[in-house]
Amino acid sequence: MVKICCLGAGYVGGPTMAVIALKCPAVEVVVVDISVARISAWNSDQLPIYEPGLDDVVKQCRGRNLFFSTDIEKHVAEADIIFVSVNTPTKTRGLGAGKAADLTYWESAARMIADVAKSDKIVVEKSTVPVKTAEAIEKILTHNSKGINFQILSNPEFLAEGTAIQDLFNPDRVLIGGRETPGGQKAVQALKEVYANWVPEDRIITTNLWSAELSKLAANAFLAQRISSVNAMSALCEATGANVAEVSYAVGKDSRIGPKFLNASVGFGGSCFQKDILNLVYICECNGLPEVANYWKQVIKINDYQKSRFVNRVVSSMFNTVAGKKIAVLGFAFKKDTGDTRETPAIDVCKGLLGDKAKISIFDPQVTEDQIQRDLAMNKFDWDHPIHLQPMSPTAVKQVTVTWDAYEATKGAHGVCILTEWDEFKKLDYAKIYENMQKPAFIFDGRNVIDPEKLREIGFIVYSIGKPLDQWLKDMPAVA
């Protein structure tokens, strides 16, 4: 029986291993993590992450050929294939601060594997890691190998949160990068056989190590670039009276471009896009390619510009001050159908409004108050470290309340900001919301989920990203 062990029970490790267990009944899969709380949650009825379809998969396999444990060394020692999906945060200090990946957790994982291994192992990179990580890990393992043979593979994940289970069941491609040596190719074949249980042969792509590592960063950079492209256009649309929805629809009809990832919004979020692009920028700089580095930097700059533009629009249209005013924020997760708040644009928008002394009331159907307060109190990049290492500011934000109901959040508010495209926000009774708000009542739609004309009929002053502006907004231009 093939034994698989996965280090790291997070958004990548948990769902990926659950699906491997479901699709490969002959394989024993154990997910290990140092966090006792996290492993307990995986073993309970309340899983630590929300992902449509995940509950069913875990329930079918748990206790049969899928196990969650904190006994890391025992399971690493017994495994044939070890997936590593530990955090790879952006460095906050030292060489490459603000751009380079921090491989502390990765390195300690590698040293531990070398320490406890008593038989040959295939070690698989599953976290998003900078190019050439495999080489560094390989050196650590071989220098500490005590005669044991380690093969390193890169098998980047291409999951989208909210559809992760479907993505795993039916992936566009599975990428496996390995050394071009007989041992390396044998390891590639071993991992390929696991995926071949349910993924068609022609969708399993094998490459060298560097290609696999770089493909992941490149894919995320291209996706983020599309979002920044349409967001840049949204600013021009507002300035000229064009409608970004019409523009992106027309552009997306070109079969070479396609319609996906062309929705203008308050900005992209998520744990990978910004981190991967910063990483790409750093790698380009290290390899003496400043022009390439600057090209990719712009993708993040436009994203930051879009968030600050949104905040400026809110403040300027409300008589240039939001001090002491209640503003409702609908949606805090970085996109719908996930409880994930990592790098969500809502953090920067809320911080911007708080900086102008607003009182904020937040409602999100999947995000807890604890998480929201933690996100607003944290420094940039801190989220990517294990919870017990995250610095907590003692002066957690007092100007923020979190409610469990959109109507409660908007009661008595001067303005409403929609920051996540949850389907339920389309179905709210906006006439009721309008009645209970201060007048003039503003709606700032950062995700283009509502129909501006219908809301204007109710009486709202509406700002939709990239859509023609109300006369009110034209009279109160946002200063960039």
Side-chain angles (χ1 to χ4, degrees), residues 65-125:
N65 66 330
L66 174 65
F67 304 93
F68 297 93
S69 167
T70 50
D71 192 346
I72 299 176
E73 300 191 354
K74 170 183 184 282
H75 294 292
V76 166
E78 291 175 0
D80 305 299
I81 302 176
I82 301 164
F83 284 86
V84 184
S85 55
V86 296
N87 301 48
T88 48
T90 307
K91 283 181 80 167
T92 47
R93 53 174 68 97
L95 187 63
K99 286 186 286 227
D102 176 351
L103 296 177
T104 313
Y105 305 117
W106 238 109
E107 185 174 329
S108 58
R111 289 182 184 280
M112 183 271 300
I113 293 169
D115 230 23
V116 306
K118 299 191 173 43
S119 56
D120 293 354
K121 307 280 181 215
I122 297 173
V123 178
V124 185
E125 258 179 9

Side-chain angles (χ1 to χ4, degrees), residues 50 333 337-340 363-368 404 422:
Y50 168 73
D337 293 339
T338 175
D340 194 351
F363 165 67
D364 186 288
Q366 281 294 335
V367 185
T368 63
W404 277 104
W422 287 102

Side-chain angles (χ1 to χ4, degrees), residues 67-238:
F67 304 93
F68 297 93
S69 167
T70 50
D71 192 346
I72 299 176
E73 300 191 354
K74 170 183 184 282
H75 294 292
V76 166
E78 291 175 0
D80 305 299
I81 302 176
I82 301 164
F83 284 86
V84 184
S85 55
V86 296
N87 301 48
T88 48
T90 307
K91 283 181 80 167
T92 47
R93 53 174 68 97
L95 187 63
K99 286 186 286 227
D102 176 351
L103 296 177
T104 313
Y105 305 117
W106 238 109
E107 185 174 329
S108 58
R111 289 182 184 280
M112 183 271 300
I113 293 169
D115 230 23
V116 306
K118 299 191 173 43
S119 56
D120 293 354
K121 307 280 181 215
I122 297 173
V123 178
V124 185
E125 258 179 9
K126 201 70 188 148
S127 334
T128 304
V129 290
V131 182
K132 301 270 181 175
T133 301
E135 200 168 46
I137 302 307
E138 201 169 48
K139 284 175 182 159
I140 290 166
L141 291 170
T142 47
H143 280 277
N144 293 284
S145 68
K146 304 184 290 257
I148 290 164
N149 179 21
F150 292 102
Q151 287 297 337
I152 317 291
L153 300 178
S154 171
N155 172 220
E157 54 80 23
F158 294 103
L159 303 179
E161 282 175 44
T163 58
I165 299 300
Q166 270 329 107
D167 295 344
L168 285 162
F169 281 175
N170 187 22
D172 288 341
R173 77 293 205 194
V174 170
L175 190 55
I176 304 172
R179 282 273 185 212
E180 288 152 324
T181 59
Q185 290 308 299
K186 200 173 143 197
V188 168
Q189 197 50 41
L191 185 55
K192 196 172 172 177
E193 281 165 16
V194 171
Y195 284 111
N197 278 288
W198 79 97
V199 181
E201 186 88 11
D202 60 339
R203 290 201 189 172
I204 304 176
I205 306 170
T206 57
T207 66
N208 72 28
L209 271 173
W210 320 144
S211 299
E213 290 182 323
L214 191 53
S215 298
K216 169 67 180 167
L217 297 183
N220 276 346
F222 278 47
L223 289 169
Q225 182 191 38
R226 283 176 72 103
I227 298 174
S228 281
S229 296
V230 77
N231 283 344
M233 286 295 164
S234 76
L236 185 58
C237 287
E238 287 168 32

Side-chain angles (χ1 to χ4, degrees), residues 265-267 300-316 345 348-350 352-353 463 465 478-480:
S265 71
V266 63
I300 291 184
K301 282 191 177 159
I302 286 285
N303 198 48
D304 289 339
Y305 162 74
Q306 190 76 341
K307 290 183 282 194
S308 60
R309 202 168 75 79
F310 187 85
V311 172
N312 292 346
R313 182 69 78 185
V314 173
V315 176
S316 64
D348 285 341
V349 171
C350 289
L353 295 172
Y463 167 65
I465 285 189
V479 187

Side-chain angles (χ1 to χ4, degrees), residues 176-438:
I176 304 172
R179 282 273 185 212
E180 288 152 324
T181 59
Q185 290 308 299
K186 200 173 143 197
V188 168
Q189 197 50 41
L191 185 55
K192 196 172 172 177
E193 281 165 16
V194 171
Y195 284 111
N197 278 288
W198 79 97
V199 181
E201 186 88 11
D202 60 339
R203 290 201 189 172
I204 304 176
I205 306 170
T206 57
T207 66
N208 72 28
L209 271 173
W210 320 144
S211 299
E213 290 182 323
L214 191 53
S215 298
K216 169 67 180 167
L217 297 183
N220 276 346
F222 278 47
L223 289 169
Q225 182 191 38
R226 283 176 72 103
I227 298 174
S228 281
S229 296
V230 77
N231 283 344
M233 286 295 164
S234 76
L236 185 58
C237 287
E238 287 168 32
T240 56
N243 181 332
V244 75
E246 294 172 348
V247 173
S248 61
Y249 180 74
V251 169
K253 274 295 183 198
D254 185 323
S255 60
R256 295 165 303 178
I257 298 171
K260 291 181 178 168
F261 271 68
L262 288 182
N263 294 322
S265 71
V266 63
F268 59 74
S271 61
C272 283
F273 282 3
Q274 176 162 303
K275 178 166 86 174
D276 288 359
I277 293 172
L278 290 172
N279 218 318
L280 195 58
V281 167
Y282 184 66
I283 293 164
C284 293
E285 288 172 352
C286 290
N287 284 289
L289 303 169
E291 291 80 3
V292 183
N294 289 333
Y295 176 75
W296 289 110
K297 254 187 217 164
Q298 289 302 322
V299 173
I300 291 184
K301 282 191 177 159
I302 286 285
N303 198 48
D304 289 339
Y305 162 74
Q306 190 76 341
K307 290 183 282 194
S308 60
R309 202 168 75 79
F310 187 85
V311 172
N312 292 346
R313 182 69 78 185
V314 173
V315 176
S316 64
S317 49
M318 293 167 81
F319 313 104
N320 229 4
T321 174
V322 289
K325 293 179 184 173
K326 177 176 174 180
I327 295 182
V329 168
L330 299 183
F332 198 82
F334 81 90
K335 65 175 180 183
K336 71 174 185 178
D337 293 339
T338 175
D340 194 351
T341 59
R342 295 178 291 178
E343 294 289 349
T344 172
I347 293 174
D348 285 341
V349 171
C350 289
K351 282 183 173 175
L353 295 172
L354 289 168
D356 216 305
K357 303 272 190 298
K359 289 190 161 68
I360 299 183
S361 181
I362 301 174
F363 165 67
D364 186 288
Q366 281 294 335
V367 185
T368 63
E369 172 162 15
D370 176 56
Q371 186 62 54
I372 288 172
Q373 295 287 9
R374 190 199 305 275
D375 286 332
L376 292 176
M378 247 187 297
N379 293 323
K380 213 168 169 56
F381 305 129
D382 279 349
W383 57 267
D384 209 356
H385 293 268
I387 235 160
H388 61 282
L389 296 178
Q390 289 174 3
M392 270 308 288
S393 120
T395 55
V397 194
K398 291 284 176 282
Q399 299 300 322
V400 175
T401 53
V402 179
T403 66
W404 277 104
D405 169 45
Y407 300 104
E408 188 56 39
T410 52
K411 193 181 286 175
H414 288 257
V416 176
C417 298
I418 302 175
L419 299 184
T420 313
E421 71 282 17
W422 287 102
D423 292 335
E424 62 192 75
F425 296 161
K426 294 181 178 149
K427 305 185 188 94
L428 293 171
D429 180 347
Y430 283 99
K432 175 179 163 185
I433 287 174
Y434 181 77
E435 273 167 31
N436 290 318
M437 281 175 68
Q438 305 278 352

